[in-house]
């Protein structure tokens, strides 16, 4: 039987009202992505002003992420509180390089921030935009852990909030159908995915504000160039596309001088449900332009740009 987004919305709206009740308040973590935004609109339909949306700026967001998310939520008529917590997250992650450790620390920090915000709004429930691939890849029972999604495997054992995940059994294509039915702007439901831990899992190795800034700019360039190329009809727009900063230095030459700097990887894939993925195919001329722009704009920090042509499996879409 085909998925019916209208039926799903009706059932979940009733379920949310029953779960939260008429007196309790709730908070939701809003990242600006399709999953959390769809969950927020669905919860707001059920709870109205009793829902408090919170955007946590962890220091690992893309360029203008907080401002763009705030604008979308104003359009949706949902009040959004932006919490600047970058110093807190960087301090918690100082010296941490192992991917699973990063994800668990970020998940725990997220909850602590939400607990503080919940006290201010007297909330008892925490809504999240968790979807099926999140808990499948996070592992449980007989399932192997591929990577702990911060909103699943990264959750602390003890929380001061009751968790509600209305999209938990949906896949990304189904979430987009629900978003469209709810009136979420096309710029959101057609938006490419962005990992919950943000750039923290696109900067391999130790995290620092300086290295994250390099990845942030490289991601922005990759997004701008790929969207422009797709808009010109050079290729089909990928499902997801971004840049990764590697803690791998190589010898290069800049001007007449030797350089020894880090490496940027561009990753672009096509897929439907995030469970499998194929590398996108770009014309050589486009890859040359993209590589040259990243290398030129970030020449003080990197000296090499490579393209990731790995399928999923064996590689995941994100690098960590």
């Amino acid at each position: 039987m085909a998925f019916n987004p209208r039926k799903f919305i009706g059932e979940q709206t009733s379920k949310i009202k029953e779960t939260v009740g008429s007196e309790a308040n709730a908070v939701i973590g809003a990242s600006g992505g399709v999953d959390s935004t769809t969950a927020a609109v669905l919860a707001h339909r059920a709870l109205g002003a009793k829902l408090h949306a919170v955007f946590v700026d962890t220091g690992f967001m893309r360029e203008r992420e907080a401002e763009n998310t705030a604008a979308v939520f104003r359009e949706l008529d949902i009040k959004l509180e932006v919490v600047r917590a970058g110093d807190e997250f960087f301090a918690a992650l100082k010296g941490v390089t192992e991917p699973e450790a990063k994800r668990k620390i970020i998940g725990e920090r997220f909850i602590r921030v939400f607990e503080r915000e919940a006290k201010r709004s007297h909330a008892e429930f925490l809504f999240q935009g968790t979807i099926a691939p999140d808990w499948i890849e996070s592992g449980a029972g007989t399932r192997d852990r591929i990577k702990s999604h911060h909103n699943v495997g990264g959750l602390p054992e003890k929380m001061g909030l009751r968790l509600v995940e209305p999209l938990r059994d949906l896949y990304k294509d189904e979430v987009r159908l629900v978003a469209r039915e709810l009136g979420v702007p096309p710029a959101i439901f057609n938006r490419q995915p962005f990992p919950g831990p943000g750039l923290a899992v696109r900067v391999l190795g130790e995290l620092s504000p300086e290295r994250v800034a390099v990845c942030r700019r490289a991601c922005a360039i990759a997004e701008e160039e790929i969207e422009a190329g797709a808009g010109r009809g050079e290729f089909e727009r990928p499902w997801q596309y971004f840049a990764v900063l590697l803690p791998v230095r190589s010898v290069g030459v800049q001007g007449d001088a030797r350089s020894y700097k880090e490496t940027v990887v561009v990753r672009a894939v096509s897929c439907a449900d995030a469970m499998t993925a194929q590398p996108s195919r770009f014309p050589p001329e486009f890859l040359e332009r993209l590589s040259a722009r990243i290398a030129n704009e970030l020449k003080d920090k990197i000296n090499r740009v490579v393209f990731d042509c790995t399928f999923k499996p064996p590689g995941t879409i994100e690098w960590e």
Side-chain angles (χ1 to χ4, degrees):
M1 182 180 296
F3 175 70
N4 186 328
R6 183 171 298 178
K7 180 181 179 182
F8 174 84
I9 291 168
E11 291 173 346
Q12 286 299 317
T13 300
S14 298
K15 186 174 180 180
I16 290 169
K17 288 179 179 179
E18 180 181 349
T19 300
V20 176
S22 59
E23 301 298 329
N25 290 335
V27 292
I28 184 166
S31 68
V34 62
D35 300 337
S36 66
T37 303
T38 302
V41 175
L42 185 58
H44 187 259
R45 174 173 289 199
L47 303 176
K50 294 191 298 179
L51 179 73
H52 303 269
V54 178
F55 178 96
V56 180
D57 186 349
T58 62
F60 304 119
M61 312 310 292
R62 289 179 290 194
E63 290 187 356
R64 295 190 57 78
E65 195 82 40
E67 294 83 354
N68 293 339
T69 301
V72 168
F73 273 70
R74 282 196 298 271
E75 182 179 345
L76 294 169
D77 199 28
I78 301 175
K79 185 177 180 181
L80 179 73
E81 179 76 20
V82 176
V83 178
R84 306 288 181 179
D87 290 346
E88 178 178 343
F89 278 80
F90 273 109
L93 289 158
K94 185 174 179 60
V96 178
T97 60
E98 204 279 321
E100 279 295 291
K102 285 182 183 179
R103 287 176 173 271
K104 289 181 181 298
I105 290 169
I106 289 169
E108 193 271 342
R109 282 292 94 203
F110 262 116
I111 294 300
R112 300 313 172 208
V113 172
F114 289 136
E115 285 177 337
R116 294 200 300 264
E117 294 303 311
K119 287 182 180 179
R120 297 179 187 177
S121 55
H122 306 289
E124 300 175 23
F125 294 85
L126 169 64
F127 278 74
Q128 290 193 149
T130 305
I131 65 173
D134 296 343
W135 56 263
I136 291 172
E137 292 190 335
S138 293
T142 59
R143 296 192 312 274
D144 191 24
R145 179 186 296 118
I146 307 302
K147 55 186 178 182
S148 293
H149 288 257
H150 79 289
N151 55 346
V152 182
L155 294 177
E157 292 185 7
K158 294 183 178 180
M159 297 192 302
L161 296 165
R162 293 173 60 186
L163 189 62
V164 184
E165 298 170 318
L167 309 179
R168 182 178 175 83
D169 295 326
L170 301 190
Y171 288 86
K172 187 70 74 172
D173 55 335
E174 295 169 327
V175 175
R176 295 190 198 281
L177 293 175
V178 172
R180 180 178 292 148
E181 184 69 27
L182 286 169
V184 173
I188 296 298
F189 68 70
N190 287 327
R191 190 184 192 194
Q192 65 157 325
F194 184 60
L199 301 178
V201 293
R202 293 181 180 175
V203 176
L204 277 63
E206 187 167 358
L207 299 166
S208 69
E210 294 75 20
R211 295 189 73 231
V212 172
V214 172
C215 185
R216 179 179 293 115
R217 187 61 198 142
C219 275
I221 294 170
E223 290 181 6
E224 290 169 10
E225 291 294 328
I226 290 172
E227 288 167 7
R232 291 190 295 267
E234 296 181 45
F235 46 78
E236 184 177 344
R237 182 186 173 192
W239 190 78
Q240 192 170 357
Y241 43 98
F242 54 91
V244 175
L245 181 66
L246 301 185
V248 176
R249 294 180 181 272
S250 63
V251 175
V253 57
Q254 293 176 321
D256 295 325
R258 176 186 187 274
S259 67
Y260 189 56
K261 298 175 182 176
E262 291 188 322
T263 302
V264 162
V265 179
V266 174
R267 176 81 157 141
V269 299
S270 60
C271 70
D273 57 8
M275 299 305 294
T276 62
Q278 302 79 43
S280 297
R281 296 183 178 182
F282 297 132
E285 298 80 5
F286 171 78
L287 288 175
E288 290 170 7
R289 291 199 308 270
L290 175 59
S291 173
R293 183 178 170 195
I294 292 174
N296 288 334
E297 289 197 24
L298 294 169
K299 61 184 178 182
D300 293 337
K301 301 296 182 182
I302 64 123
N303 65 0
R304 196 172 297 271
V305 179
V306 299
F307 182 72
D308 180 356
C309 58
T310 310
F311 285 76
K312 176 184 181 179
T316 54
I317 296 176
E318 298 288 345
W319 274 52
E320 288 193 340

